[in-house]
Amino acid sequence: MFSVLYDMIISQILVCALVAVVTAAPDHYGPPPARFYGIPGAYSGPVIPILKDEREGPDASGVYSFEFETGNGIKREEQGAPRGPSGAVAMQGGWSFTFPDGSPADVTFVADDAGYRVESDLLPTPPPLPAHAIAQIEKARREDAAAAALSGPLLCPSDYLWIPLR
Protein backbone atom coordinates (compact mmCIF):
# COMPACT_ATOMS: atom_id res chain seq x y z
CA MET A 1 0.00 0.00 0.00
CA PHE A 2 2.83 2.37 0.85
CA SER A 3 4.51 1.80 -2.51
CA VAL A 4 1.26 2.55 -4.42
CA LEU A 5 0.84 5.81 -2.51
CA TYR A 6 4.50 6.60 -3.08
CA ASP A 7 4.14 5.95 -6.83
CA MET A 8 1.09 8.25 -7.02
CA ILE A 9 2.92 11.11 -5.27
CA ILE A 10 5.96 10.70 -7.48
CA SER A 11 3.71 10.68 -10.57
CA GLN A 12 1.98 13.88 -9.45
CA ILE A 13 5.34 15.58 -8.80
CA LEU A 14 6.59 14.55 -12.23
CA VAL A 15 3.42 15.84 -13.92
CA CYS A 16 3.71 19.18 -12.05
CA ALA A 17 7.38 19.48 -13.03
CA LEU A 18 6.55 18.73 -16.67
CA VAL A 19 3.77 21.37 -16.67
CA ALA A 20 6.19 23.92 -15.13
CA VAL A 21 8.85 23.22 -17.78
CA VAL A 22 6.34 23.52 -20.63
CA THR A 23 4.87 26.80 -19.38
CA ALA A 24 8.34 28.29 -18.73
CA ALA A 25 9.61 27.54 -22.26
CA PRO A 26 9.84 30.60 -24.54
CA ASP A 27 7.04 30.85 -27.08
CA HIS A 28 9.40 32.10 -29.83
CA TYR A 29 12.98 31.66 -30.84
CA GLY A 30 15.32 34.08 -32.54
CA PRO A 31 17.37 37.16 -31.69
CA PRO A 32 16.54 38.96 -28.47
CA PRO A 33 14.40 42.10 -28.77
CA ALA A 34 16.19 45.41 -29.31
CA ARG A 35 17.19 47.27 -26.17
CA PHE A 36 17.04 51.05 -25.80
CA TYR A 37 19.27 52.40 -23.04
CA GLY A 38 19.20 49.01 -21.34
CA ILE A 39 15.40 48.79 -21.21
CA PRO A 40 14.33 45.32 -22.41
CA GLY A 41 11.86 45.36 -25.28
CA ALA A 42 12.11 49.10 -25.95
CA TYR A 43 12.55 49.98 -29.63
CA SER A 44 15.74 51.88 -30.41
CA GLY A 45 15.13 52.75 -34.08
CA PRO A 46 17.78 52.96 -36.76
CA VAL A 47 21.43 53.36 -35.85
CA ILE A 48 22.66 56.89 -36.65
CA PRO A 49 26.40 57.08 -37.36
CA ILE A 50 28.65 59.60 -35.64
CA LEU A 51 30.50 61.44 -38.42
CA LYS A 52 32.64 63.68 -36.23
CA ASP A 53 33.56 63.54 -32.54
CA GLU A 54 36.41 65.80 -31.49
CA ARG A 55 37.14 66.53 -27.84
CA GLU A 56 39.93 68.51 -26.21
CA GLY A 57 40.53 69.00 -22.50
CA PRO A 58 39.84 70.14 -20.06
CA ASP A 59 43.53 70.84 -19.79
CA ALA A 60 45.38 71.91 -16.63
CA SER A 61 44.06 75.48 -16.94
CA GLY A 62 40.47 74.30 -17.47
CA VAL A 63 40.18 75.09 -21.18
CA TYR A 64 38.05 72.64 -23.15
CA SER A 65 36.24 72.23 -26.45
CA PHE A 66 34.20 69.62 -28.24
CA GLU A 67 32.38 69.19 -31.51
CA PHE A 68 30.31 66.37 -32.92
CA GLU A 69 28.14 65.69 -35.93
CA THR A 70 25.78 62.81 -36.64
CA GLY A 71 24.67 61.20 -39.86
CA ASN A 72 21.20 62.72 -39.61
CA GLY A 73 22.51 66.31 -39.53
CA ILE A 74 22.70 67.04 -35.81
CA LYS A 75 25.70 69.22 -34.94
CA ARG A 76 26.89 70.42 -31.52
CA GLU A 77 29.95 72.42 -30.55
CA GLU A 78 31.17 74.21 -27.43
CA GLN A 79 34.28 75.90 -26.09
CA GLY A 80 34.97 77.05 -22.56
CA ALA A 81 37.65 78.47 -20.31
CA PRO A 82 37.88 79.71 -16.72
CA ARG A 83 37.65 83.48 -16.33
CA GLY A 84 37.94 85.93 -13.51
CA PRO A 85 39.20 85.53 -9.96
CA SER A 86 36.64 82.84 -9.08
CA GLY A 87 37.62 80.67 -12.05
CA ALA A 88 34.02 80.38 -13.25
CA VAL A 89 33.92 78.82 -16.69
CA ALA A 90 32.80 81.07 -19.52
CA MET A 91 31.54 79.11 -22.49
CA GLN A 92 30.05 79.55 -25.90
CA GLY A 93 28.70 77.19 -28.47
CA GLY A 94 25.67 76.05 -30.33
CA TRP A 95 23.79 73.27 -32.01
CA SER A 96 21.83 72.72 -35.17
CA PHE A 97 19.49 70.12 -36.58
CA THR A 98 16.75 69.77 -39.18
CA PHE A 99 13.08 69.45 -38.25
CA PRO A 100 11.06 66.63 -39.85
CA ASP A 101 9.46 69.19 -42.21
CA GLY A 102 12.94 70.09 -43.52
CA SER A 103 13.29 73.49 -41.86
CA PRO A 104 16.64 74.17 -40.16
CA ALA A 105 17.15 74.88 -36.47
CA ASP A 106 20.21 76.86 -35.39
CA VAL A 107 20.90 77.88 -31.80
CA THR A 108 23.94 79.68 -30.38
CA PHE A 109 24.68 80.62 -26.79
CA VAL A 110 27.14 82.43 -24.57
CA ALA A 111 27.39 81.78 -20.83
CA ASP A 112 29.70 84.02 -18.82
CA ASP A 113 29.70 86.51 -15.96
CA ALA A 114 26.91 88.43 -17.76
CA GLY A 115 24.61 85.38 -17.68
CA TYR A 116 23.30 82.86 -20.19
CA ARG A 117 22.29 84.31 -23.54
CA VAL A 118 20.73 82.31 -26.35
CA GLU A 119 20.21 83.43 -29.93
CA SER A 120 17.98 81.67 -32.43
CA ASP A 121 15.28 82.50 -34.93
CA LEU A 122 13.23 79.85 -33.13
CA LEU A 123 12.91 81.89 -29.93
CA PRO A 124 9.69 83.87 -29.54
CA THR A 125 9.98 87.64 -29.75
CA PRO A 126 7.60 90.26 -28.37
CA PRO A 127 5.37 92.14 -30.79
CA PRO A 128 6.62 95.57 -31.89
CA LEU A 129 5.76 98.52 -29.67
CA PRO A 130 2.88 100.70 -30.83
CA ALA A 131 3.74 104.18 -32.16
CA HIS A 132 2.36 106.00 -29.09
CA ALA A 133 4.60 103.94 -26.78
CA ILE A 134 7.69 104.72 -28.86
CA ALA A 135 6.78 108.42 -28.85
CA GLN A 136 6.41 108.36 -25.05
CA ILE A 137 9.82 106.68 -24.63
CA GLU A 138 11.47 109.24 -26.92
CA LYS A 139 9.84 112.12 -25.00
CA ALA A 140 11.12 110.73 -21.69
CA ARG A 141 14.59 110.32 -23.20
CA ARG A 142 14.60 113.97 -24.42
CA GLU A 143 13.41 115.21 -21.02
CA ASP A 144 16.12 113.22 -19.24
CA ALA A 145 18.79 114.61 -21.57
CA ALA A 146 17.56 118.19 -21.10
CA ALA A 147 17.46 117.83 -17.31
CA ALA A 148 20.97 116.37 -17.27
CA ALA A 149 22.27 119.25 -19.41
CA LEU A 150 20.70 121.96 -17.25
CA SER A 151 21.37 120.62 -13.80
CA GLY A 152 24.66 120.53 -12.09
CA PRO A 153 24.40 119.21 -8.60
CA LEU A 154 21.10 117.67 -7.57
CA LEU A 155 18.62 120.35 -6.53
CA CYS A 156 15.75 119.99 -4.15
CA PRO A 157 12.56 122.14 -4.20
CA SER A 158 13.73 124.33 -1.30
CA ASP A 159 16.65 125.50 -3.47
CA TYR A 160 14.15 127.29 -5.72
CA LEU A 161 12.67 129.40 -2.93
CA TRP A 162 14.22 132.77 -2.32
CA ILE A 163 13.01 134.59 0.67
CA PRO A 164 14.53 138.01 1.22
CA LEU A 165 15.81 138.56 4.72
CA ARG A 166 14.89 141.89 6.35
Side-chain angles (χ1 to χ4, degrees):
M1 169 108 173
F2 179 71
S3 96
V4 173
L5 185 59
Y6 179 77
D7 288 343
M8 283 179 48
I9 291 174
I10 294 295
S11 298
Q12 288 177 348
I13 290 173
L14 286 174
V15 168
C16 289
L18 181 62
V19 169
V21 168
V22 168
T23 57
D27 57 350
H28 66 281
Y29 294 95
R35 297 171 66 96
F36 184 66
Y37 291 115
I39 302 170
Y43 177 67
S44 66
V47 175
I48 308 296
I50 304 295
L51 304 177
K52 183 180 199 178
D53 187 359
E54 297 176 0
R55 301 165 190 260
E56 294 182 24
D59 61 16
S61 64
V63 175
Y64 75 95
S65 68
F66 68 85
E67 181 177 3
F68 71 83
E69 181 178 353
T70 65
N72 61 354
I74 298 173
K75 296 178 183 176
R76 173 80 166 89
E77 54 94 14
E78 183 176 314
Q79 307 84 36
R83 238 169 55 183
S86 68
V89 175
M91 59 187 78
Q92 64 182 22
W95 58 92
S96 64
F97 61 93
T98 303
F99 284 106
D101 68 359
S103 58
D106 293 308
V107 179
T108 60
F109 72 91
V110 174
D112 56 17
D113 53 351
Y116 183 73
R117 299 173 305 283
V118 180
E119 292 183 14
S120 175
D121 291 339
L122 300 171
L123 296 175
T125 56
L129 290 174
H132 71 276
I134 294 172
Q136 198 66 28
I137 292 169
E138 286 303 316
K139 179 182 178 209
R141 189 174 291 136
R142 286 192 306 272
E143 289 174 353
D144 286 348
L150 290 176
S151 68
L154 200 58
L155 301 175
C156 66
S158 64
D159 293 338
Y160 295 111
L161 296 176
W162 183 71
I163 302 174
L165 296 175
R166 295 188 197 223

